[in-house]
Short mmCIF file of all heavy atoms in Angstrom, two decimals:
data_model
loop_
_atom_site.label_atom_id
_atom_site.label_comp_id
_atom_site.label_asym_id
_atom_site.label_seq_id
_atom_site.Cartn_x
_atom_site.Cartn_y
_atom_site.Cartn_z
N GLY R 68 0.88 -1.20 0.00
CA GLY R 68 -0.04 -0.05 0.06
C GLY R 68 0.77 1.25 0.01
O GLY R 68 0.42 2.33 -0.64
N GLY R 69 2.00 1.17 0.70
CA GLY R 69 2.81 2.37 0.71
C GLY R 69 3.47 2.84 -0.57
O GLY R 69 4.00 3.88 -0.74
N LEU R 70 3.29 2.08 -1.52
CA LEU R 70 3.77 2.40 -2.95
C LEU R 70 2.96 3.64 -3.43
O LEU R 70 3.52 4.34 -4.21
CB LEU R 70 3.56 1.23 -3.97
CG LEU R 70 4.31 -0.01 -3.64
CD1 LEU R 70 4.00 -1.09 -4.76
CD2 LEU R 70 5.83 0.32 -3.73
N SER R 71 1.69 3.76 -2.98
CA SER R 71 0.90 4.96 -3.36
C SER R 71 1.70 6.24 -2.80
O SER R 71 1.65 7.32 -3.44
CB SER R 71 -0.49 4.85 -2.84
OG SER R 71 -0.61 4.84 -1.48
N VAL R 72 2.11 6.15 -1.55
CA VAL R 72 2.96 7.17 -0.99
C VAL R 72 4.31 7.42 -1.67
O VAL R 72 4.71 8.56 -1.91
CB VAL R 72 3.08 7.02 0.59
CG1 VAL R 72 3.91 8.17 1.13
CG2 VAL R 72 1.66 6.95 1.20
N LEU R 73 5.01 6.32 -1.89
CA LEU R 73 6.23 6.38 -2.56
C LEU R 73 6.15 7.07 -3.87
O LEU R 73 7.03 7.79 -4.22
CB LEU R 73 6.73 4.91 -2.77
CG LEU R 73 8.16 4.79 -3.48
CD1 LEU R 73 9.24 5.47 -2.70
CD2 LEU R 73 8.52 3.26 -3.74
N ALA R 74 5.20 6.85 -4.64
CA ALA R 74 4.95 7.50 -5.99
C ALA R 74 4.90 9.02 -5.74
O ALA R 74 5.49 9.73 -6.48
CB ALA R 74 3.64 6.95 -6.63
N GLU R 75 4.26 9.48 -4.72
CA GLU R 75 4.04 10.92 -4.46
C GLU R 75 5.48 11.48 -3.99
O GLU R 75 5.86 12.57 -4.31
CB GLU R 75 2.96 11.21 -3.41
CG GLU R 75 1.61 10.88 -3.92
CD GLU R 75 1.03 11.72 -4.99
OE1 GLU R 75 1.73 12.69 -5.37
OE2 GLU R 75 0.07 11.43 -5.52
N LEU R 76 6.10 10.65 -3.23
CA LEU R 76 7.40 11.10 -2.73
C LEU R 76 8.41 11.24 -3.85
O LEU R 76 9.26 12.24 -3.92
CB LEU R 76 7.99 10.10 -1.69
CG LEU R 76 7.33 10.09 -0.37
CD1 LEU R 76 7.77 8.74 0.44
CD2 LEU R 76 7.75 11.28 0.49
N ARG R 77 8.36 10.37 -4.82
CA ARG R 77 9.29 10.41 -5.93
C ARG R 77 8.88 11.57 -6.83
O ARG R 77 9.78 12.09 -7.58
CB ARG R 77 9.29 9.13 -6.71
CG ARG R 77 9.70 7.93 -5.85
CD ARG R 77 9.97 6.71 -6.78
NE ARG R 77 11.29 6.85 -7.45
CZ ARG R 77 11.63 6.16 -8.55
NH1 ARG R 77 10.85 5.22 -8.98
NH2 ARG R 77 12.84 6.35 -9.09
N ARG R 78 7.66 11.98 -6.93
CA ARG R 78 7.29 13.12 -7.72
C ARG R 78 7.84 14.40 -6.99
O ARG R 78 8.31 15.30 -7.67
CB ARG R 78 5.76 13.17 -7.88
CG ARG R 78 5.27 12.14 -8.82
CD ARG R 78 3.71 12.30 -9.01
NE ARG R 78 3.19 11.17 -9.84
CZ ARG R 78 2.52 10.18 -9.44
NH1 ARG R 78 2.31 9.91 -8.12
NH2 ARG R 78 2.13 9.16 -10.22
N ALA R 79 7.75 14.44 -5.66
CA ALA R 79 8.07 15.58 -5.00
C ALA R 79 9.63 15.70 -4.83
O ALA R 79 10.19 16.75 -4.78
CB ALA R 79 7.45 15.65 -3.67
N LEU R 80 10.27 14.49 -4.83
CA LEU R 80 11.71 14.42 -4.57
C LEU R 80 12.37 13.54 -5.50
O LEU R 80 12.98 12.51 -5.27
CB LEU R 80 11.94 13.91 -3.09
CG LEU R 80 11.44 14.74 -1.99
CD1 LEU R 80 11.15 13.92 -0.75
CD2 LEU R 80 12.37 15.93 -1.71
N PRO R 81 12.37 13.89 -6.80
CA PRO R 81 12.89 12.96 -7.90
C PRO R 81 14.36 12.65 -7.81
O PRO R 81 14.81 11.65 -8.39
CB PRO R 81 12.50 13.77 -9.22
CG PRO R 81 12.41 15.18 -8.77
CD PRO R 81 11.99 15.23 -7.38
N GLY R 82 15.18 13.49 -7.12
CA GLY R 82 16.54 13.15 -6.99
C GLY R 82 16.98 12.30 -5.90
O GLY R 82 18.20 11.95 -5.72
N GLU R 83 16.03 11.95 -5.00
CA GLU R 83 16.37 11.19 -3.82
C GLU R 83 16.28 9.69 -4.05
O GLU R 83 15.51 9.19 -4.90
CB GLU R 83 15.31 11.45 -2.66
CG GLU R 83 15.27 12.92 -2.22
CD GLU R 83 16.54 13.35 -1.43
OE1 GLU R 83 17.23 12.38 -0.99
OE2 GLU R 83 16.77 14.57 -1.34
N ASP R 84 17.16 8.96 -3.41
CA ASP R 84 17.12 7.49 -3.34
C ASP R 84 16.15 7.10 -2.20
O ASP R 84 16.07 7.80 -1.22
CB ASP R 84 18.52 6.90 -3.13
CG ASP R 84 19.50 7.13 -4.22
OD1 ASP R 84 19.00 7.31 -5.42
OD2 ASP R 84 20.66 7.16 -4.03
N PHE R 85 15.50 5.97 -2.43
CA PHE R 85 14.59 5.43 -1.42
C PHE R 85 14.82 3.98 -1.20
O PHE R 85 15.23 3.23 -1.98
CB PHE R 85 13.19 5.63 -2.00
CG PHE R 85 12.64 6.99 -2.06
CD1 PHE R 85 12.89 7.76 -3.25
CD2 PHE R 85 12.07 7.54 -1.05
CE1 PHE R 85 12.41 9.10 -3.35
CE2 PHE R 85 11.65 8.92 -1.08
CZ PHE R 85 11.79 9.66 -2.20
N LEU R 86 14.57 3.59 -0.01
CA LEU R 86 14.65 2.21 0.59
C LEU R 86 13.25 1.89 1.09
O LEU R 86 12.84 2.36 2.06
CB LEU R 86 15.75 2.12 1.66
CG LEU R 86 16.16 0.63 2.01
CD1 LEU R 86 16.78 -0.06 0.83
CD2 LEU R 86 17.24 0.78 3.20
N TYR R 87 12.48 1.04 0.29
CA TYR R 87 11.13 0.75 0.67
C TYR R 87 11.02 -0.61 1.33
O TYR R 87 11.51 -1.72 0.71
CB TYR R 87 10.33 0.81 -0.63
CG TYR R 87 8.78 0.38 -0.35
CD1 TYR R 87 7.92 1.55 -0.14
CD2 TYR R 87 8.30 -0.85 -0.30
CE1 TYR R 87 6.54 1.26 0.11
CE2 TYR R 87 7.00 -1.00 -0.01
CZ TYR R 87 6.11 0.01 0.15
OH TYR R 87 4.69 -0.25 0.33
N LEU R 88 10.48 -0.77 2.44
CA LEU R 88 10.28 -2.02 3.27
C LEU R 88 8.88 -2.38 3.42
O LEU R 88 8.13 -1.66 3.97
CB LEU R 88 10.93 -1.88 4.59
CG LEU R 88 10.73 -3.02 5.61
CD1 LEU R 88 11.22 -4.37 4.98
CD2 LEU R 88 11.49 -2.80 6.91
N ALA R 89 8.59 -3.51 2.87
CA ALA R 89 7.19 -4.13 2.91
C ALA R 89 7.25 -5.30 3.88
O ALA R 89 7.93 -6.35 3.52
CB ALA R 89 6.65 -4.55 1.53
N ASP R 90 6.61 -5.23 5.04
CA ASP R 90 6.55 -6.32 5.97
C ASP R 90 5.46 -7.35 5.74
O ASP R 90 4.59 -7.55 6.52
CB ASP R 90 6.41 -5.68 7.35
CG ASP R 90 6.55 -6.68 8.51
OD1 ASP R 90 7.20 -7.82 8.21
OD2 ASP R 90 6.19 -6.40 9.63
N LEU R 91 5.69 -8.00 4.46
CA LEU R 91 4.63 -8.90 4.19
C LEU R 91 4.52 -10.17 4.99
O LEU R 91 3.40 -10.69 5.06
CB LEU R 91 4.93 -9.32 2.71
CG LEU R 91 4.86 -8.29 1.67
CD1 LEU R 91 5.22 -8.78 0.22
CD2 LEU R 91 3.47 -7.60 1.57
N ALA R 92 5.50 -10.50 5.78
CA ALA R 92 5.48 -11.69 6.61
C ALA R 92 4.38 -11.42 7.80
O ALA R 92 3.87 -12.50 8.28
CB ALA R 92 6.81 -11.98 7.21
N HIS R 93 4.06 -10.18 8.05
CA HIS R 93 3.20 -9.92 9.15
C HIS R 93 1.95 -9.07 8.75
O HIS R 93 1.16 -8.73 9.60
CB HIS R 93 3.97 -9.16 10.30
CG HIS R 93 5.15 -9.88 10.72
ND1 HIS R 93 6.40 -9.50 10.38
CD2 HIS R 93 5.23 -10.88 11.55
CE1 HIS R 93 7.31 -10.30 10.91
NE2 HIS R 93 6.63 -11.19 11.65
N MET R 94 1.85 -8.86 7.44
CA MET R 94 0.64 -8.15 6.92
C MET R 94 -0.64 -9.07 6.98
O MET R 94 -0.46 -10.27 6.77
CB MET R 94 0.99 -7.75 5.42
CG MET R 94 -0.02 -6.89 4.74
SD MET R 94 -1.48 -7.71 4.08
CE MET R 94 -0.80 -8.95 3.10
N PRO R 95 -1.84 -8.48 7.24
CA PRO R 95 -2.11 -6.93 7.53
C PRO R 95 -1.98 -6.63 8.97
O PRO R 95 -2.14 -7.48 9.89
CB PRO R 95 -3.61 -6.89 7.05
CG PRO R 95 -4.24 -8.24 7.38
CD PRO R 95 -3.11 -9.21 7.11
N TYR R 96 -1.74 -5.31 9.29
CA TYR R 96 -1.67 -4.88 10.58
C TYR R 96 -2.90 -4.47 11.16
O TYR R 96 -3.08 -4.48 12.42
CB TYR R 96 -0.79 -3.58 10.54
CG TYR R 96 0.79 -3.88 10.53
CD1 TYR R 96 1.22 -5.00 10.13
CD2 TYR R 96 1.63 -2.84 10.80
CE1 TYR R 96 2.63 -5.22 10.12
CE2 TYR R 96 3.01 -2.92 10.71
CZ TYR R 96 3.55 -4.24 10.35
OH TYR R 96 4.90 -4.43 10.29
#
């Protein structure tokens, strides 16, 4: 789900590197 936020972050901060962590072993919270 956080990919929707990541997309907005990359639009606002296109020069930044990102490290995205999905805790699928324990999803859903």
Side-chain angles (χ1 to χ4, degrees):
L70 295 176
S71 63
V72 176
L73 177 64
E75 296 292 350
L76 287 165
R77 298 194 75 197
R78 292 184 181 102
L80 298 160
E83 299 289 339
D84 292 334
F85 291 90
L86 193 59
Y87 182 95
L88 171 55
D90 188 17
L91 293 176
H93 304 103
M94 185 280 306
Y96 280 14

